[in-house]
Amino acid sequence: LQRSGSKHASTPADNYYLARRRTLQVVVSSLLTEAGFESAEKAAVETLTEMLQSYISEIGRSAKSYCEHTARTQPTLSDIVVTLVEMGFNVETLPAYAKRSQRMVITAPPVTNQPVTPKALTAGQNKPHPSHIPSHFPEFPDPHTYIKTPTYREPVSDYQVLREKAASQRRDVERALTRFMAKTGETQSLFKDDVSTFPLIAARPFTVPYLTALLPSELEMQQMEETDSSEQDDQTDTENLPLHMSTDDSGPEKENASVLQQNTSLSGSRNGEENMIDNPYLRPVKKPKIRRKK
Amino acid sequence: AAPVSAAAAAAPEGAMSNGVYVPPSASNGDVKPVVSTTPLVDFLMQLEDYTPTIPDAVTGYYLNRAGFEASDPRIIRLISLAAQKFISDIANDALQHCKMKGTASGSSRNKSKDKKYTLTMEDLTPALAEYGINVKKPHYFT
């Protein structure tokens, strides 16, 4: 269980261990002095220290085993006597030895080396142990360990601020879009001199203005077909309805049909307006002609 | 816990009495086959005043490492005393060896051998060999 000659920074447990080992060395030295030696080889002292440590450990282990062998937990004098006898130690001579060596100077004061974190470094109250943790476990670290700061800010949820933001965003978007259309298409300016300050999207007059109203584009044709089909479905529905309902509903049905027709005409006119602006991004998609080689 | 004085009856063969091995062939009527702890009980009472050289904390530390939890501090003193005696017995044997080597050749008969004895490995090794401990130190190259 000993660490041989490590030059790394020793833990408090190592300090504990080394302090006691040094004490044993001092004890061995004092015993040698008592025996009559003036000096000793370092290797010899180390040998005796190692022997002393292992002797004490062996007595402890063996006494513990004897004690547990008789179904006890606390060792008594008998256990130790039996242990010493087993290790070849003459127990009878022990009192004589004790009396003899009473003249020996009692050296080697006990070592009090308890590692404690200095008070200056601890900050605040440590969290106490919850009930399921035994008390001999180390304590929790200082409370600043658990501090966490979120790296995001909470979004603003004030109604007024949000409405203002939404309105300003919408205005900015509209402005940007119209400027974009003015930059990409033709423009007319209100002022004679300054062309670029307030560009207005040019209103391109057609030679035959009503032509686009009369001739719808392909896209509008598709839309009209869809609306026609939906119209026809509605008309069939309206025709079917009187079979089940009373004749009083015929008036509103006709109104519905006329409203539908007006809607299609309105959509057609709106499409004409878009055609007049002729924004390249609003033109219909031109698909390339695929020639199939047979 | 009051120490119990146990009278352990030794086995008829290979008896271990008083810590000294008695072979069955050499047994005679004088050998007491019983090891009693009564003198030690009295000795334990005396131990309260006497403090061994090894501090109680150090001995207790090594005993705790071995799993031995002492209820009575006098037990710890007994163990430390036993360990002390063990080492000092070896030291005395080594001293004898040292003295024997010094005066073996009969040098300096007028004055006694000088008081300065140094414990060397050459003295320690035969002393330990008598206890059955064999130490071998490597010869260094320099």
Side-chain angles (χ1 to χ4, degrees):
Chain A
L1 277 174
Q2 65 177 27
R3 291 188 195 171
S4 55
S6 60
K7 286 187 184 170
H8 311 291
S10 55
T11 67
D14 286 347
N15 287 338
Y16 221 61
Y17 169 78
L18 286 170
R20 273 146 180 73
R21 191 137 170 115
R22 266 178 270 137
T23 314
L24 279 187
Q25 277 192 339
V26 172
V27 166
V28 165
S29 309
S30 68
L31 285 175
L32 289 176
T33 311
E34 186 193 342
F37 285 103
E38 286 278 331
S39 53
E41 270 183 7
K42 185 147 169 91
V45 173
E46 284 286 339
T47 309
L48 288 175
T49 312
E50 183 63 34
M51 281 171 55
L52 183 60
Q53 179 187 332
S54 60
Y55 198 76
I56 295 177
S57 307
E58 178 59 26
I59 291 180
R61 188 204 63 78
S62 186
K64 175 93 180 156
S65 303
Y66 270 109
C67 156
E68 285 176 350
H69 182 65
T70 56
R72 282 179 286 119
T73 52
Q74 290 206 336
T76 67
L77 178 68
S78 320
D79 299 323
I80 296 167
V81 168
V82 175
T83 302
L84 289 173
V85 165
E86 188 196 16
M87 291 175 77
F89 189 84
N90 197 346
V91 194
E92 297 283 312
T93 59
L94 198 53
Y97 173 77
K99 293 204 177 60
R100 179 190 68 91
S101 67
Q102 280 213 350
R103 61 181 174 87
M104 187 56 217
V105 54
I106 293 164
T107 60
V111 183
T112 55
N113 188 11
Q114 290 183 1
V116 173
T117 56
K119 291 281 180 181
L121 289 178
T122 59
Q125 279 279 330
N126 293 350
K127 219 170 93 171
H129 277 206
S131 58
H132 59 272
I133 297 179
S135 60
H136 60 268
F137 276 37
E139 286 189 5
F140 277 109
D142 289 338
H144 68 265
T145 316
Y146 305 105
I147 296 177
K148 45 185 177 183
T149 37
T151 53
Y152 61 90
R153 275 181 298 168
E154 276 189 18
V156 184
S157 57
D158 190 18
Y159 179 71
Q160 183 179 355
V161 175
L162 279 179
R163 276 302 290 264
E164 283 178 12
K165 268 193 178 177
S168 63
Q169 264 188 3
R170 189 169 154 198
R171 185 192 55 196
D172 290 340
V173 163
E174 283 178 3
R175 210 170 108 195
L177 188 58
T178 50
R179 274 178 172 249
F180 178 67
M181 284 179 63
K183 292 253 163 89
T184 51
E186 288 186 8
T187 58
Q188 280 180 345
S189 64
L190 285 174
F191 310 106
K192 271 188 187 174
D193 313 325
D194 202 355
V195 181
S196 59
T197 322
F198 289 105
L200 292 177
I201 300 169
R204 213 169 359 132
F206 284 92
T207 48
V208 188
Y210 48 83
L211 190 64
T212 51
L214 294 175
L215 297 177
S217 62
E218 284 188 13
L219 185 67
E220 291 152 4
M221 286 259 286
Q222 286 178 9
Q223 287 181 357
M224 280 188 66
E225 283 171 5
E226 289 169 13
T227 50
D228 284 340
S229 60
S230 62
E231 247 187 3
Q232 284 175 1
D233 291 339
D234 291 339
Q235 281 180 355
T236 51
D237 286 340
T238 54
E239 285 168 8
N240 287 331
L241 279 172
L243 295 176
H244 305 279
M245 295 164 70
S246 60
T247 53
D248 293 332
D249 297 329
S250 61
E253 289 159 15
K254 282 181 186 171
E255 283 178 7
N256 284 337
S258 63
V259 163
L260 283 168
Q261 283 173 1
Q262 281 177 7
N263 281 338
T264 52
S265 62
L266 277 172
S267 63
S269 64
R270 251 185 263 124
N271 288 336
E273 282 177 11
E274 284 176 354
N275 257 346
M276 282 165 60
I277 294 173
D278 197 21
N279 195 318
Y281 293 94
L282 291 178
R283 285 182 197 149
V285 176
K286 287 179 188 173
K287 287 185 183 175
K289 292 178 185 176
I290 300 171
R291 289 181 188 176
R292 289 183 187 175
K293 290 184 181 178
K294 292 182 183 177
Chain B
V4 176
S5 66
E13 291 177 350
M16 186 78 133
S17 109
N18 298 343
V20 178
Y21 177 73
V22 179
S25 58
S27 62
N28 47 15
D30 295 333
V31 174
K32 287 181 286 184
V34 172
V35 176
S36 77
T37 59
T38 358
L40 279 177
V41 170
D42 302 330
F43 173 64
L44 206 61
M45 303 302 165
Q46 298 172 14
L47 262 187
E48 285 181 5
D49 305 325
Y50 173 73
T51 310
T53 312
I54 311 180
D56 283 353
V58 175
T59 317
Y61 171 74
Y62 286 111
L63 290 174
N64 285 346
R65 286 191 86 121
F68 183 98
E69 181 64 39
S71 49
D72 199 353
R74 295 172 296 183
I75 299 275
I76 298 180
R77 292 204 187 123
L78 184 71
I79 293 176
S80 64
L81 205 59
Q84 259 178 259
K85 181 170 181 305
F86 175 67
I87 297 294
S88 65
D89 284 348
I90 296 173
N92 284 328
D93 289 349
L95 192 66
Q96 301 296 325
H97 277 274
C98 191
K99 282 182 180 170
M100 280 194 303
K101 283 175 188 172
T103 60
S105 57
S107 62
S108 68
R109 285 189 192 177
N110 296 332
K111 56 173 181 175
S112 57
K113 183 80 169 82
D114 57 342
K115 302 286 181 181
K116 296 202 176 174
Y117 298 111
T118 303
L119 176 66
T120 60
M121 286 308 294
E122 289 86 21
D123 296 330
L124 193 57
T125 313
L128 287 175
E130 289 174 14
Y131 282 83
I133 304 167
N134 298 317
V135 292
K136 261 189 181 176
K137 289 291 174 179
H139 299 285
Y140 290 95
F141 298 118
T142 52

